[in-house]
Amino acid sequence: MEEVEIPQYFLCPISLQIMKDPVTTVTGITYDRESIEMWLCTAEEEAAVAMCPVTKQHLPKDTELLTPNHMLRRLIQAWCIVNAEKGVDRIPTPKYPMDKSNILRLIRQVNNNNNSNSNNDQQLCVDALRKMDDLVSENEKNRKCMEEVGAIKAIIGFIIRCYKYGNLLIPGLEEALRIFHSIWNPTHENKNHVKDNHDLVQATLWILKNEAKDIFHKIMIIKTHAMMVLKDVIEVSSSNLLSRLDSGFFQEIVHTLRKNSRNYISQQATKAALQVLIGACPWGRNKLKIIESGAIFELIELELTNPEKRVSELVFCLLANLCVLADGRAKFLEHAAGIALVTKRTLRISATIDDNAIQIFGFICKFSATKEVLLEMLRVGAVSKICMVMQADCEVYLKKKAREILRAHSHVWSNSPCIQIYLLTRQ
């Protein structure tokens, strides 16, 4: 790019870059919208006002008070066109968020379809959902505005309507699921819409069960969005709804974890599925239902594929929860790679995994410590890893737990070199 002198007033005082969407604050200073909104967003949460970066005056955090500087934007755009031959890129006219009245009109069109069988209403609904989907993808303001005017209720109604019609390919379903997850915010009102909504849970489960080989790619996209919606719902569901989940629900979720199977959806869906299982774990007999659905085996197999860090953390969290029960520990020990896998991952990925790994070893060593199990731990290096936890830069409570495990079974592991060092140096 040829050297070009940029007028000083074209530059944002924060980013020092040419402003794409100049806005003027109540202090009279013009900034690029993205930069000043980020500045206001990162100000102290409890403070009602921020500080103007230039004047140091108080600046309201309400972005609605930012006034578009159309004249300056047009000057910048004209200057960019004149200097295009010198390598200056043209700045497009920014898209501004729609006001609430327009979004309310779209929501009414969706609601009209939920209460009608008219073909005209159905087409208006699909058009409205596609427009809402476009708006959601444009900027955060549109997402926030849509959430504030109650779009979630209308979207839930449409998803349940598709479920009751039994047609996965109803136009607009993909958009509805994507909108739900994009604008979801666990406000009191939104929680009330979903916390006991068994129909919504059944609708997402119906989507996950559905198969259509001729449009496989589209179905996988819809299923990914459905799993994301289910995750959002389970996180705020009531104990009554969570304790009523049946074995079929957990079997369907667990089946999606196996890669290279017809039930596998996507990496994003896998993370959401693990979060669904973790969220449902504490309630009723859900731990046992998850174990009986074959989750332990699938979790170990999933971890053996060397997934990304976040997936590993979720896998270990769920394993630690399930190993609380005797059936969970039995299934874990049935898998030939169980102990070796936990051993390998300890002290190699993250503190979260270390925490859950020591919990797993703690449950096994306290409640399922047969001689064969203890010798297996010694053989695959688990004992050495527990000793290393004692020497590593770990939390005090984790070292305490490791010390308890070693003391409890030192008579079996006494021939291990690390145990001998530990016994000589312990206080």
Side-chain angles (χ1 to χ4, degrees):
M1 174 177 164
E2 186 179 329
E3 192 70 26
V4 180
E5 184 177 350
I6 304 172
Q8 190 66 29
Y9 58 93
F10 285 4
L11 301 178
C12 173
I14 297 175
S15 67
L16 301 180
Q17 301 295 317
I18 296 177
M19 290 184 279
K20 298 178 180 178
D21 184 9
V23 292
T24 303
T25 66
V26 295
T27 61
I29 306 300
T30 298
Y31 301 92
D32 190 47
R33 182 184 292 275
E34 183 178 357
S35 297
I36 192 62
E37 286 187 350
M38 182 62 70
W39 176 275
L40 296 174
C41 182
T42 54
E44 293 185 13
E45 289 186 6
E46 63 274 12
V49 294
M51 193 77 74
C52 177
V54 174
T55 67
K56 307 303 179 187
Q57 294 176 307
H58 286 309
L59 190 61
K61 296 175 71 175
D62 187 357
T63 56
E64 296 294 330
L65 297 177
L66 299 175
T67 305
N69 193 329
H70 298 297
M71 181 62 72
L72 179 56
R73 174 177 55 76
R74 292 189 187 103
L75 286 172
I76 293 173
Q77 288 177 323
W79 180 85
C80 289
I81 293 171
V82 169
N83 291 277
E85 293 181 356
K86 299 177 181 178
V88 177
D89 294 329
R90 182 178 178 182
I91 293 175
T93 300
K95 293 182 179 180
Y96 294 106
M98 292 183 70
D99 58 38
K100 290 184 179 180
S101 62
N102 287 322
I103 294 178
L104 283 169
R105 178 177 55 81
L106 296 173
I107 291 173
R108 280 196 298 271
Q109 290 175 353
V110 175
N111 281 328
N112 287 341
N113 177 69
N114 292 340
N115 300 311
S116 167
N117 291 318
S118 163
N119 289 334
N120 184 54
D121 285 340
Q122 290 176 9
Q123 187 56 52
L124 287 173
C125 173
V126 172
D127 292 341
L129 285 168
R130 287 171 178 166
K131 180 63 176 175
M132 291 167 70
D133 189 30
D134 289 340
L135 289 170
V136 163
S137 65
E138 280 180 7
N139 56 58
E140 181 60 32
K141 276 193 174 181
N142 286 347
R143 289 190 285 273
K144 185 177 180 181
C145 181
M146 207 169 291
E147 184 268 318
E148 287 176 350
V149 297
I152 284 290
K153 183 179 179 181
I155 295 299
I156 290 171
F158 180 82
I159 294 171
I160 292 174
R161 180 182 172 89
C162 292
Y163 160 57
K164 290 184 175 178
Y165 268 92
N167 184 358
L168 190 64
L169 300 179
I170 288 179
L173 179 58
E174 179 184 338
E175 289 82 359
L177 293 166
R178 184 161 48 236
I179 292 167
F180 183 104
H181 179 64
S182 298
I183 69 172
W184 172 253
N185 186 20
T187 62
H188 178 71
E189 182 181 359
N190 286 342
K191 285 180 182 179
N192 284 338
H193 290 318
V194 305
K195 67 179 183 180
D196 288 303
N197 198 328
H198 189 68
D199 282 346
L200 181 57
V201 172
Q202 289 302 307
T204 54
L205 193 63
W206 161 72
I207 294 170
L208 295 174
K209 286 180 177 178
N210 214 297
E211 293 184 24
K213 295 179 181 179
D214 52 332
I215 48 169
F216 180 80
H217 179 68
K218 182 175 177 62
I219 293 297
M220 290 304 104
I221 292 173
I222 292 175
K223 286 187 175 185
T224 296
H225 294 316
M227 190 68 84
M228 302 297 286
V229 169
L230 185 59
K231 174 188 75 72
D232 293 333
V233 171
I234 292 297
E235 285 176 350
V236 299
S237 292
S238 68
S239 57
N240 180 51
L241 185 148
L242 292 172
S243 59
R244 288 167 53 204
L245 297 173
D246 59 23
S247 298
F249 172 88
F250 294 111
Q251 287 171 5
E252 191 61 39
I253 302 300
V254 168
H255 288 166
T256 67
L257 299 177
R258 178 175 289 191
K259 287 189 174 181
N260 302 319
S261 75
R262 63 183 178 85
N263 295 304
Y264 182 76
I265 302 173
S266 66
Q267 180 84 332
Q268 190 179 22
T270 295
K271 284 187 277 190
L274 291 168
Q275 288 171 300
V276 167
L277 295 172
I278 291 169
C281 233
W283 306 100
R285 298 180 64 254
N286 288 349
K287 279 191 180 74
L288 188 58
K289 293 174 187 175
I290 295 171
I291 293 166
E292 290 174 347
S293 68
I296 300 278
F297 178 86
E298 297 298 347
L299 290 170
I300 295 172
E301 290 295 311
L302 174 60
E303 187 59 29
L304 287 171
T305 65
N306 293 307
E308 62 178 77
K309 176 183 172 182
R310 181 57 181 155
V311 173
S312 291
E313 289 177 341
L314 292 169
V315 166
F316 271 72
C317 177
L318 188 52
L319 283 173
N321 273 283
L322 299 180
C323 283
V324 170
L325 299 185
D327 287 4
R329 296 190 295 275
K331 291 294 182 182
F332 177 83
L333 293 172
E334 275 181 19
H335 198 296
I339 294 175
L341 178 67
V342 175
T343 300
K344 184 176 180 180
R345 295 289 189 265
T346 306
L347 296 177
R348 292 187 66 176
I349 301 176
S350 73
T352 301
I353 288 179
D354 297 342
D355 192 328
N356 286 306
I358 294 299
Q359 281 192 56
I360 293 167
F361 283 142
F363 289 134
I364 289 171
C365 290
K366 186 173 183 179
F367 301 109
S368 305
T370 63
K371 185 175 181 180
E372 290 76 13
V373 168
L374 294 176
L375 290 176
E376 172 74 3
M377 290 181 67
L378 186 63
R379 185 181 67 81
V380 301
V383 178
S384 298
K385 273 291 177 75
I386 295 170
C387 290
M388 289 170 67
V389 169
M390 297 285 296
Q391 306 298 322
D393 183 21
C394 297
E395 295 290 339
V396 173
Y397 74 88
L398 211 57
K399 293 186 177 187
K400 182 180 178 181
K401 187 67 180 177
R403 183 182 293 111
E404 290 172 357
I405 295 171
L406 293 172
R407 284 180 176 174
H409 302 290
S410 58
H411 62 287
V412 178
W413 297 329
S414 57
N415 290 330
S416 172
C418 70
I419 281 288
Q420 291 172 1
I421 295 171
Y422 162 71
L423 292 172
L424 289 171
T425 57
R426 73 179 180 179
Q427 299 297 320

